[in-house]
């Protein structure tokens, strides 16, 4: 049964509502978004908050598409406004060009991405292809496991992004439908605690006619490279900041979802399953069954995909006998998911020697069953014993449809 | 953990029923989770919604394949949908119909119970919307949830007269399926 003291703070609401509420208590000054399934309920709820006067000192800018939404926030952020948006799939792809502008101008816009597959063929269900396609846009990407984490990560991300040493935009990636449309118990972020945790946005540089500056100006070959270097430096500074902010959040709110990574039954694990997002919940349930049988299986949750926590991943897997990476995306032409490729990459020049295999899973919302996770674990146990035979493959492929 | 699958047609409020069930279970002090079988919903098309209820936090995110309980809002679904699919042998299937359980001839070892939820809805609410009525029947048939918690959940979601009428209909279905009223 639920601890009665904790129950008092919790409500059962839709994930989208909880996220909209979290965005509200972060006190944004400008919100701009365009509705698209499965993000729609988030912006509907925010529109309602605005209409009801529940977000003081905030303007909701209605736009005709996502390119305009992110463009509006670029302008707003440059004058010193805290900004928020939410989108998914084709909407996120439509923002793509301006995502580089946002990060290149070092504007800490924060948005929620309700992850969804991309067209064609058209598909409205969940996978991570939309956000993974933005991995080189220079945005921070944090992937969350449940509704509570989707809420709690928003003020964390504002605090990271708005740090004057960092000043990089970020997205909280939550699984569309699976988290956006689920009803589950959640603590809605308290305004007072959030105010204690998250200071007002005070950028060193803003657009101000009284003190003119230029954002995103022309940079010739003699300076452009230095802009890119400083952007990369900022991302590297975000690595310890993400860890620190997660701990500060825990001190104020009493909840911790991991920093750059998080482990479950990891310390003595011989087989490690790595992944991002809500599938980790199902994986943990399966791992519990294996642990009950005495098998040393553990879970490595990667929370931060950008910046990529190379050191932390190497350290976490160093004693494992085999690692399997589950990716809800694929880089067509490599037959690999992005987390798998990058995990191998960070291990290559390290002293860690462990076989790593990958599965691309859940494409276009294909349901991932407990039995499939168990199948993956069995395959990985074989890899630990006798080496890799298939490096990366699709999970639950329907051969009869090919 | 108890898993419940609700079968209905688009527009019948299957998703709302699953959500209300999760809210009521939480009021009873349990962890809960409700979600639709996400689809491109169309009015009249077969839809499913799911609820999990547990004494422990719920992490599992897959759909429900071996339910403990099944609720069927519309008996015409029995012709096209295998509502008994995967149900546990000691499970219960609750069907909205005027028929007797044995005449439905469902291929299952699970217990089949029927309730004329449409009549209850017409008599008390005045419209043939049966999703909340069936939650009353669910509480009566399974004992998994307090009928008062369901009534609280519906009144919170639909304040005023609508909520009151639904709460009365829930009470009626609860007693009907327990055999306390005819």
């Amino acid at each position: 049964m639920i601890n009665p003291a904790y129950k008092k703070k919790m409500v059962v609401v839709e994930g989208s509502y909880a996220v909209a509420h979290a965005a509200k208590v972060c006190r944004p000054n400008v919100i701009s978004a365009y509705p698209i399934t499965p993000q729609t309920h988030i912006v509907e709820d925010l529109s309602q908050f605005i209409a009801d006067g529940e977000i003081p000192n905030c303007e909701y800018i209605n736009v005709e598409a996502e390119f305009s939404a992110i463009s509006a926030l670029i302008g707003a952020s440059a004058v010193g406004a805290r900004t928020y948006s939410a989108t998914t799939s084709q909407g996120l792809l439509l923002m793509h060009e301006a995502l580089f502008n946002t990060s290149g101008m070092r504007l800490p816009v924060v948005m929620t991405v309700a992850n969804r597959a991309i067209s064609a063929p058209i598909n409205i269900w969940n996978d991570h292809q939309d956000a993974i396609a933005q991995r080189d846009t220079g945005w921070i990407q944090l992937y969350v496991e449940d509704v509570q984490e989707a809420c709690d990560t928003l003020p964390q991300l504002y605090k990271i992004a708005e740090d004057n040493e960092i000043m990089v935009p970020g997205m909280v990636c939550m699984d569309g439908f699976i988290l956006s449309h689920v009803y589950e118990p959640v603590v809605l972020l308290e305004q007072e605690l959030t105010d204690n945790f998250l200071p007002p946005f005070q950028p060193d540089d803003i657009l101000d006619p009284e003190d003119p500056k230029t954002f995103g100006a022309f940079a010739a070959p003699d300076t452009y490279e230095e802009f890119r270097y400083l952007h990369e430096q900022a991302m590297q500074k975000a690595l310890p900041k993400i860890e620190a902010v997660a701990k500060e959040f825990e001190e104020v709110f009493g909840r911790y979802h991991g920093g750059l990574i998080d482990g479950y039954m990891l310390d003595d694990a011989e087989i490690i399953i790595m992944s991002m997002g809500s599938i980790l919940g199902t994986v943990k349930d399966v791992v519990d069954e294996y642990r009950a049988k005495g098998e040393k299986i553990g879970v490595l949750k990667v929370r931060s995909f950008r910046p990529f926590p190379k050191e932390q991943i190497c350290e976490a897997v160093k004693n494992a006998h085999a690692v399997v990476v589950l990716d809800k995306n694929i880089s067509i032409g490599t037959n690999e998911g992005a987390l798998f490729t990058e995990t191998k990459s960070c291990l290559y020049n390290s002293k860690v020697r462990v076989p790593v295999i990958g599965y691309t899973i859940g494409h276009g919302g294909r349901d991932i069953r407990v039995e499939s996770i168990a199948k993956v674990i069995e395959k990985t146990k074989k890899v630990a014993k006798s080496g890799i035979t298939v490096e990366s493959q699709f999970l639950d492929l329907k051969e009869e449809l090919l | 953990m108890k898993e419940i699958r609700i079968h209905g047609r688009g527009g019948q409020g299957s998703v709302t029923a699953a959500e209300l069930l999760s809210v009521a279970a939480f009021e009873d002090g349990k962890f809960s989770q409700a979600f639709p079988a996400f689809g491109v919903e169309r009015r009249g098309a077969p839809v499913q919604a799911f609820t999990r209820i547990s004494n422990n936090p719920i992490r599992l995110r897959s759909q429900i394949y071996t339910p403990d309980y099944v609720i069927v809002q519309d008996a015409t679904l029995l012709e096209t949908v295998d509502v008994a699919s995967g149900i546990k042998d000691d499970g219960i299937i609750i069907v909205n119909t005027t028929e007797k359980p044995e005449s439905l001839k469902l291929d299952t070892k699970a217990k089949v119970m029927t309730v004329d939820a449409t009549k209850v809805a017409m008599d008390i609410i005045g419209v043939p919307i049966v999703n909340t009525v069936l939650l009353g029947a669910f509480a009566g048939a399974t004992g998994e949830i307090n009928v008062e918690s369901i009534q609280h959940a519906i009144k919170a979601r639909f304040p005023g007269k609508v909520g009151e009428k639904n709460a009365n209909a829930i009470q009626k279905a609860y007693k009907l399926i327990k055999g306390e009223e005819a």
Side-chain angles (χ1 to χ4, degrees):
Chain A
M1 300 292 270
I2 298 174
N3 178 340
Y6 204 52
K7 187 191 168 196
K8 249 186 240 167
K9 294 167 69 180
M10 294 179 112
V11 288
V12 176
V13 293
E14 189 185 47
S16 290
Y17 176 84
V19 166
H21 183 276
K24 176 179 89 164
V25 298
C26 288
R27 299 192 183 278
N29 304 115
V30 178
I31 299 170
S32 189
Y34 190 80
I36 173 170
T37 300
Q39 152 268 35
T40 312
H41 292 178
I42 297 174
V43 295
E44 282 177 357
D45 289 331
L46 281 168
S47 304
Q48 189 70 51
F49 289 143
I50 293 276
D52 294 344
E54 286 187 36
I55 316 184
N57 194 26
C58 181
E59 187 174 348
Y60 190 113
I61 303 177
N62 279 310
V63 287
E64 82 285 2
E66 290 84 356
F67 190 89
S68 303
I70 188 66
S71 299
L73 296 189
I74 286 173
S77 184
V79 299
R82 178 170 286 162
T83 53
Y84 180 76
S85 189
T87 190
T88 177
S89 188
Q90 310 303 124
L92 184 60
L93 298 194
L94 188 54
M95 287 183 178
H96 181 72
E97 178 187 342
L99 295 181
F100 284 93
N101 292 107
T102 319
S103 65
M105 285 190 252
R106 309 289 299 279
L107 300 171
V109 173
V110 166
M111 71 174 156
T112 299
V113 177
N115 293 111
R116 169 187 143 182
I118 54 181
S119 301
I122 192 163
N123 177 295
I124 59 164
W125 293 268
N126 163 251
D127 67 30
H128 292 165
Q129 200 71 56
D130 53 355
I132 293 296
Q134 315 309 321
R135 66 176 141 172
D136 293 333
T137 56
W139 283 55
I140 294 166
Q141 289 192 345
L142 303 178
Y143 287 77
V144 301
E145 185 178 341
D146 55 27
V147 173
Q148 190 70 64
E149 189 181 2
C151 299
D152 295 352
T153 304
L154 268 182
Q156 291 185 34
L157 187 50
Y158 274 114
K159 198 164 190 172
I160 299 155
E162 292 175 355
D163 185 312
N164 273 305
E165 293 291 307
I166 297 173
M167 293 296 281
V168 167
M171 45 187 95
V172 176
C173 301
M174 69 186 292
D175 285 319
F177 283 120
I178 297 170
L179 296 184
S180 64
H181 284 56
V182 73
Y183 270 63
E184 62 186 22
V186 61
V187 180
L188 296 176
L189 290 180
E190 298 89 343
Q191 186 66 65
E192 197 185 336
L193 292 182
T194 309
D195 288 341
N196 291 343
F197 172 76
L198 179 63
F201 178 33
Q202 288 175 316
D204 287 343
D205 299 298
I206 57 167
L207 273 186
D208 179 1
E210 300 296 315
D211 180 19
K213 284 175 184 161
T214 303
F215 279 63
F218 185 73
D222 61 339
T223 55
Y224 183 86
E225 185 166 322
E226 284 66 33
F227 277 98
R228 300 297 278 169
Y229 175 79
L230 289 170
H231 192 163
E232 177 59 45
Q233 289 289 101
M235 270 290 195
Q236 295 306 320
K237 286 178 191 162
L239 284 165
K241 185 76 179 175
I242 290 168
E243 295 266 336
V245 165
K247 292 198 175 88
E248 286 168 36
F249 185 90
E250 185 182 18
E251 281 164 23
V252 175
F253 291 89
R255 293 187 295 274
Y256 181 75
H257 309 280
L260 294 158
I261 60 170
D262 196 30
Y264 180 77
M265 303 279 175
L266 200 55
D267 291 344
D268 63 342
E270 293 168 0
I271 303 293
I272 293 177
I273 308 166
M274 272 177 79
S275 199
M276 307 194 290
S278 67
I279 189 59
L280 289 159
T282 303
V283 170
K284 287 174 183 175
D285 268 16
V286 180
V287 165
D288 279 356
E289 288 174 24
Y290 274 88
R291 284 280 171 175
K293 293 185 285 185
E295 297 197 37
K296 291 178 177 170
I297 318 282
V299 183
L300 176 57
K301 160 179 169 171
V302 176
R303 192 162 173 261
S304 175
F305 184 65
R306 284 293 181 271
F308 195 65
K310 296 180 184 181
E311 278 177 36
Q312 289 76 11
I313 288 173
C314 288
E315 179 66 25
V317 304
K318 69 178 181 190
N319 295 324
H321 299 176
V323 176
V324 60
V325 184
L326 309 180
D327 268 289
K328 279 189 176 178
N329 69 87
I330 181 167
S331 178
I332 300 283
T334 65
N335 194 28
E336 294 181 1
L339 183 62
F340 176 54
T341 302
E342 301 205 3
T343 297
K344 286 192 297 175
S345 164
C346 74
L347 290 172
Y348 186 81
N349 282 333
S350 76
K351 292 200 170 67
V352 181
R353 282 294 162 260
V354 55
V356 187
I357 58 167
Y359 282 85
T360 73
I361 65 169
H363 296 278
R366 178 155 302 174
D367 198 33
I368 301 157
R369 301 176 62 161
V370 164
E371 295 81 357
S372 296
I373 299 298
K375 190 174 82 181
V376 163
I377 291 173
E378 289 306 317
K379 290 264 187 191
T380 313
K381 280 161 61 181
K382 276 189 192 150
V383 168
K385 210 176 254 179
S386 49
I388 296 171
T389 49
V390 182
E391 193 188 22
S392 180
Q393 59 191 303
F394 284 71
L395 178 70
D396 295 336
L397 199 61
K398 292 183 181 172
E399 302 280 353
E400 69 274 18
L401 295 185
L402 302 176
Chain B
M1 183 157 66
K2 297 294 181 188
E3 296 185 312
I4 302 124
R5 188 172 68 212
I6 302 175
H7 292 273
R9 293 187 179 278
Q12 287 186 323
S14 302
V15 177
T16 304
E19 291 165 2
L20 289 168
L21 203 50
S22 71
V23 172
F26 179 73
E27 188 169 316
D28 280 351
K30 293 180 177 169
F31 289 95
S32 59
Q33 178 198 62
F35 58 102
F38 324 112
V40 188
E41 283 82 4
R42 315 172 300 292
R43 191 164 285 269
V47 298
Q48 294 178 30
F50 308 102
T51 304
R52 290 190 169 100
I53 300 172
S54 175
N55 289 327
N56 301 308
I58 300 168
R59 301 178 300 198
L60 187 61
R61 298 288 175 190
S62 73
Q63 293 184 11
I64 290 172
Y65 298 96
T66 55
D68 298 274
Y69 305 111
V70 166
I71 298 173
V72 184
Q73 298 213 59
D74 182 338
T76 65
L77 286 166
L78 302 181
E79 295 161 21
T80 53
V81 179
D82 180 12
V83 299
S85 171
I87 190 165
K88 295 192 176 81
D89 287 349
D90 60 352
I92 301 176
I93 302 174
I94 302 165
V95 185
N96 170 29
T97 176
T98 54
E99 308 267 331
K100 292 252 182 306
E102 50 275 17
S103 60
L104 297 177
K105 297 193 169 56
L106 288 179
D107 182 19
T108 178
K109 287 179 184 160
K111 184 177 180 185
V112 180
M113 300 177 83
T114 60
V115 59
D116 189 354
T118 307
K119 182 174 189 306
V120 174
M122 287 304 291
D123 287 352
I124 299 178
I125 310 173
V127 288
I129 298 172
V130 299
N131 59 343
T132 56
V133 182
L134 283 164
L135 294 184
F138 175 82
T142 69
E144 290 290 348
I145 203 152
N146 285 319
V147 68
E148 294 83 9
S149 301
I150 294 177
Q151 290 170 316
H152 285 162
I154 188 90
K155 284 188 207 167
R157 180 88 169 243
F158 303 102
K161 253 191 182 159
V162 176
E164 284 295 335
K165 282 183 182 176
N166 274 278
N168 293 338
I170 286 167
Q171 189 66 30
K172 175 75 180 177
Y174 175 77
K175 290 194 165 169
L176 271 178
I177 210 150
K178 282 174 82 85
E180 292 173 3
E181 277 184 28

